[in-house]
């Protein structure tokens, strides 16, 4: 003998089918999202590697009281690894590689960036016996960590110092010899005078001026030459040398 029992499992099968379709869609979405994240990661990595800047990302290392005691590298681009012979790498701690930073207040600045969410941008002179020069450091909050982008600005700083030294020599020469110098930017039309120029014209130092200032001071007999002088100056079309007579107060210079 046999006994046959029938049960209607239509609803169960329908639910199973829905679950199967849901799981399939979910797997497809997860796979698509994973691919997008992988592509984004690869793109960001390629961008970081293409830069001449030093790029590092850190996560906070905290003690049992939650205080920030160090930072762990979670990303380092190639140029940062080549900064000196210590070669920082993912998984290492910042102060283990650069213990001198503990005394410099660097960790405190990173802590402020994490706690306040306010970016820190500074220029510092660095000398630890292995690495010497001027560096610019831009630190941005990154969750419970920071992203640090740095660049070596030693050449720029040296150029600025040389320019300042040259400017001081020029100012001294102008004061002694009664000279003045100017600079005109053809793109922005910005007209800049040295202190000597303001002394020659008897004008307050720093007062905004334009090339037409010569037309305001020139004597009537030299006005045509002054207009030509202004045209040459504002077009930058040719070298020129001109002598003008200017009335400064009661004196003609």
């Amino acid at each position: 003998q046999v006994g046959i029992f029938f049960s209607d499992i239509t609803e169960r099968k329908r639910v199973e089918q829905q679950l199967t379709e849901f799981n399939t869609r979910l797997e497809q979405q997860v796979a698509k999202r994973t691919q997008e994240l992988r592509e984004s990661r690869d793109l960001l990595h390629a961008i970081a590697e293409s830069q001449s800047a030093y790029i590092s990302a850190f996560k906070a290392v905290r003690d049992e009281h939650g205080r920030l005691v160090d930072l762990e590298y979670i990303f380092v681009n190639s140029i940062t690894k080549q900064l000196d012979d210590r070669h920082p790498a993912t998984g290492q701690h910042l102060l283990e590689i650069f213990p001198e930073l503990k005394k410099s207040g660097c960790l405190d600045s990173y802590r402020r960036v994490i706690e306040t969410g306010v970016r820190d941008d500074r220029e510092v002179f660095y000398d630890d016996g292995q690495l010497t020069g001027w560096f610019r450091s831009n630190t941005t909050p990154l969750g419970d960590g920071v992203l640090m982008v740095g660049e070596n600005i030693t050449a720029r700083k040296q150029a600025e110092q040389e320019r300042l030294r040259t400017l001081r020599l020029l100012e001294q020469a102008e004061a002694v010899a009664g000279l003045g110098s100017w600079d005109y930017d053809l793109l922005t039309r910005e007209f800049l005078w040295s202190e000597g120029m303001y002394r020659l014209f008897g004008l307050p130092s720093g007062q905004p001026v334009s090339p037409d200032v010569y037309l305001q001071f020139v004597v009537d007999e030299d006005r045509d030459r002054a207009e030509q002088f202004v045209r040459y100056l504002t077009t930058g079309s040719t070298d020129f040398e001109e002598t003008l007579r200017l009335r400064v107060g009661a004196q003609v210079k």
Side-chain angles (χ1 to χ4, degrees):
Q1 294 180 345
V2 295
I4 302 175
F5 297 89
F6 293 92
S7 297
D8 185 351
I9 60 172
T10 303
E11 184 62 23
R12 192 190 78 191
K13 285 293 184 181
R14 187 183 66 81
V15 172
E16 289 177 353
Q17 180 63 29
Q18 289 178 340
L19 287 173
T20 300
E21 293 174 354
F22 174 79
N23 287 336
T24 300
R25 289 196 301 271
L26 183 60
E27 289 174 357
Q28 292 173 346
Q29 291 173 357
V30 170
K32 180 180 179 182
R33 182 58 178 159
T34 301
Q35 179 64 24
E36 291 174 347
L37 290 173
R38 185 180 296 112
E39 292 174 353
S40 297
R41 181 200 63 192
D42 292 345
L43 175 60
L44 290 174
H45 186 273
I47 292 173
E49 289 297 338
S50 69
Q51 301 300 306
S52 59
Y54 308 111
I55 302 177
S56 302
F58 303 90
K59 69 176 181 181
V61 177
R62 299 183 180 276
D63 62 15
E64 63 274 14
H65 303 292
R67 293 176 298 199
L68 183 72
V69 294
D70 208 337
L71 292 170
E72 179 183 332
Y73 283 95
I74 58 176
F75 174 80
V76 192
N77 72 341
S78 297
I79 192 170
T80 304
K81 296 177 182 178
Q82 301 165 7
L83 187 59
D84 61 22
D85 58 7
R86 286 174 281 192
H87 309 299
T90 301
Q92 293 181 307
H93 287 185
L94 178 66
L95 295 184
E96 291 177 356
I97 306 173
F98 302 99
E100 67 276 5
L101 293 180
K102 191 170 185 178
K103 297 180 180 179
S104 69
C106 182
L107 200 64
D108 291 333
S109 70
Y110 290 152
R111 182 185 296 110
R112 284 193 297 271
V113 171
I114 295 173
E115 292 176 350
T116 66
V118 178
R119 187 177 64 180
D120 180 76
D121 195 343
R122 64 179 63 193
E123 295 180 356
V124 296
F125 182 77
Y126 189 80
D127 185 3
D128 64 358
Q130 298 187 60
L131 187 63
T132 303
W134 280 93
F135 293 87
R136 180 183 178 187
S137 172
N138 188 306
T139 308
T140 304
L142 184 66
D144 192 26
V146 293
L147 174 69
M148 198 280 288
V149 179
E151 58 179 324
N152 189 330
I153 59 172
T154 303
R156 193 196 81 193
K157 281 292 186 180
Q158 290 174 341
E160 289 176 354
Q161 292 170 356
E162 179 62 22
R163 182 180 180 184
L164 181 60
R165 187 184 70 85
T166 303
L167 177 60
R168 287 173 177 168
L169 289 174
L170 176 62
E171 289 176 344
Q172 291 172 1
E174 287 184 349
V176 172
L179 302 175
S181 58
W182 52 261
D183 181 76
Y184 184 73
D185 190 315
L186 293 170
L187 295 179
T188 64
R189 298 185 179 182
E190 184 179 24
F191 194 39
L192 299 177
W193 271 11
S194 70
E195 291 295 323
M197 289 295 291
Y198 286 104
R199 285 194 294 267
L200 290 174
F201 278 72
L203 295 175
S205 177
Q207 175 180 312
V209 290
S210 68
D212 287 344
V213 68
Y214 292 99
L215 304 180
Q216 300 169 20
F217 283 82
V218 71
V219 299
D220 292 340
E221 294 82 357
D222 292 352
R223 187 171 185 83
D224 290 343
R225 291 208 303 273
E227 290 175 349
Q228 178 176 269
F229 173 93
V230 172
R231 282 197 301 273
Y232 287 157
L233 189 157
T234 54
T235 60
S237 56
T238 181
D239 294 344
F240 61 91
E241 180 177 345
E242 187 59 82
T243 300
L244 300 174
R245 288 172 291 175
L246 307 177
R247 186 174 298 280
V248 180
Q251 183 183 9
V252 174
K253 297 186 177 181

